[in-house]
Amino acid sequence: MTFLANALSRVKPSATIAVTQKARDLKAQGREVVSLSVGEPDFDTPEHIRAAAKAAIDRGETRYTPVLGIPPLREAVAKKFKRENGLDYKASDTIVATGGKHILFNAFLATINPGDEVVVPAPYWVSYPEMVAICGGMTVFVETRMEDGFKLQPEALERVITPKTKWLVLNSPSNPSGAAYNFDEMKKVTDVLLRHPQVHVLTDDIYEHLVYGDFKFVTPAQVEPALIERTLTMNGVSKAYAMTGWRIGYAAGPSALIKAMDLLQGQQTSGACSIAQWAAVEALEGPQDHLAVFRKAFEERRDLVVSMLNQAKYLKCPTPEGAFYVFPSCAEAIGRKTPQGKVIESDEDFVTELLDAQGVAVVQGSAFGAGPAFRVSYAASNALLEDACRKIQTFCGSLV
C-alpha cells in the first residue's frame, strides 16, 4: 500500500508557479531577472480598503466567520451582481471562500463523478484541468484560434458536448490570452447551451473590470437569463482591487449547489478570514475610483507590449480585450538556433533559453494548452516592460 493518494498521479505542478520560482532562484544567485510570469497587479490595495481592514481589527472582528461568509459581504455580493451584471441573486444564493480558486475547486468537488466531462476552451488557466482531474473528472479541451481572437466558436462547442458533459468553463477576460466575449459572441455560446440542459456553466469573471477601450463586459447568465439556474457565476477581489494576498473569492448560483459547497467548505477551511472579508465589503461597496486608474495604466501597458513584441522577429502578438496578459505566437522561432547552437524545438525551449540568455521570465503557451506561444503578464511598470521587451527583441534577433 502506497502512502500518497493515487489521485496525485493525475496532477501536474503549476507551470506559472514553477517559472516564477525559477526566476526567484536566479535572482537569489545574483542574476538580473525581469519576471513577467506573475498574474497579479503591481498596485497596492487601495487605501480605503486597507483602512476598512484596520477598522475591523480595531472593532474586534477577529472571530470565526460563518462558512458561507459574513452576512454583510454576502449582501454586498448580491448587490454587486444586480448592480453591475443585472443578475437577481439573493444573499442566500451566494458563497464566499478563500480565493476564487477555492470556489472553483469546491464547485467541481461537489458535482463531478468519475467519468463526468468538463469542457474547457484552450488556451486555459493552468489549474482548471488539474482540479477536474483531482475530482475524478475528464477535461475535454476545445482548441481556439488566434484568428478568432482565442474565443470558443459555437460549432466547436457543439461538437464536443456529450451526455457525459457536466460543465463548460468560461473565463472572460481570459488568462492567458486576455480574450473577452462581447454580447453577440457570448450569445452564440449560450444558444448552444440552451440545447443541452445537462450542461452547467462555471464562469470565471475574475478579470471583469479589466477591459479596455469601448469593450463592454458580459457574463453568460446576463446574456441568457434562462441559464441562471445552471450557472455558477464566480468572481473575487484579487485582480480589480489588487487584493491577491487577501484571498477572497465569491460566487452565486443554484441553491442546491451552494448548499453542497457549504457542506464541503465546512469540513475544509470553514469561513474565510474575517479581516479580509470586511475589507472585501469595502471593496465592493466603497469608492471605485481606482478602477479607472488601473484600467488606464493597464491599457497603456498592453499597447506598449503588443507594439514592441510585434516588432520582434518571429513573433506575432494579437491585441487582447482585457485582463493583463498577452499571448504571442512564437511559431516562426521553432526550429531556429540560438548563438550557442541550441535548437528551439518547442515553446518551452523558447522560454527557457530566453530566461537563460536575457533574464526574462515568461510562461510557455503549452502549459496553457496552446502553442507554440508564451504568456506575458504586463502587470509591471512601463520601464520594466520596455526593458523586458527590448531583451525579447534581442533574443529573437539572435536566432538563426
Side-chain angles (χ1 to χ4, degrees), residues 212-270:
Y212 311 118
D214 297 326
F215 189 87
K216 302 295 183 186
F217 171 84
V218 292
T219 194
Q222 174 186 14
V223 171
E224 181 46 76
L227 291 176
I228 196 165
E229 283 304 313
R230 48 187 171 113
T231 299
L232 183 68
T233 302
M234 190 281 284
N235 212 314
V237 296
S238 297
K239 313 299 184 179
Y241 299 92
M243 296 176 67
T244 50
W246 298 76
R247 308 310 302 136
I248 294 293
Y250 59 81
S255 59
L257 176 57
I258 298 300
K259 288 178 182 176
M261 293 169 68
D262 176 25
L263 176 65
L264 287 172
Q265 193 162 300
Q267 299 297 346
Q268 297 171 337
T269 58
S270 296

Side-chain angles (χ1 to χ4, degrees), residues 142-327:
V142 186
E143 182 181 352
T144 64
R145 304 186 307 162
M146 182 184 290
E147 305 93 274
D148 298 321
F150 294 116
K151 296 171 194 177
L152 177 63
Q153 299 302 296
E155 305 83 13
L157 174 60
E158 188 78 63
R159 282 195 297 269
V160 299
I161 292 176
T162 75
K164 294 182 179 180
T165 306
K166 182 158 283 185
W167 286 105
L168 166 66
V169 177
L170 276 180
N171 175 211
S172 173
S174 160
N175 174 6
S177 71
Y181 296 76
N182 63 30
F183 186 96
D184 291 340
E185 292 164 339
M186 187 68 79
K187 186 67 169 65
K188 291 176 182 177
V189 173
T190 59
D191 283 350
V192 174
L193 296 171
L194 287 175
R195 297 193 288 271
H196 299 278
Q198 83 279 14
V199 183
H200 292 69
V201 189
L202 206 168
T203 175
D204 181 347
D205 295 349
I206 200 75
Y207 297 96
E208 170 185 4
H209 289 294
L210 300 180
V211 294
Y212 311 118
D214 297 326
F215 189 87
K216 302 295 183 186
F217 171 84
V218 292
T219 194
Q222 174 186 14
V223 171
E224 181 46 76
L227 291 176
I228 196 165
E229 283 304 313
R230 48 187 171 113
T231 299
L232 183 68
T233 302
M234 190 281 284
N235 212 314
V237 296
S238 297
K239 313 299 184 179
Y241 299 92
M243 296 176 67
T244 50
W246 298 76
R247 308 310 302 136
I248 294 293
Y250 59 81
S255 59
L257 176 57
I258 298 300
K259 288 178 182 176
M261 293 169 68
D262 176 25
L263 176 65
L264 287 172
Q265 193 162 300
Q267 299 297 346
Q268 297 171 337
T269 58
S270 296
C273 169
S274 59
I275 308 308
Q277 289 196 62
W278 282 105
V281 172
E282 178 64 19
L284 295 181
E285 299 206 319
Q288 306 292 305
D289 302 351
H290 73 283
L291 291 175
V293 177
F294 282 18
R295 277 193 294 264
K296 183 175 185 296
F298 281 134
E299 185 169 6
E300 289 176 356
R301 295 169 179 183
R302 177 200 65 174
D303 294 344
L304 169 67
V305 170
V306 169
S307 174
M308 292 190 72
L309 291 183
N310 277 325
Q311 293 172 48
K313 290 180 70 174
Y314 314 128
L315 300 186
K316 183 178 181 181
C317 186
T319 302
E321 293 87 355
F324 39 69
Y325 311 104
V326 294
F327 197 68

Side-chain angles (χ1 to χ4, degrees), residues 42 59 92 131 182 206 246 261 345:
D42 58 320
R59 289 197 311 272
S92 58
M131 292 179 187
N182 63 30
I206 200 75
W246 298 76
M261 293 169 68
E345 297 181 348

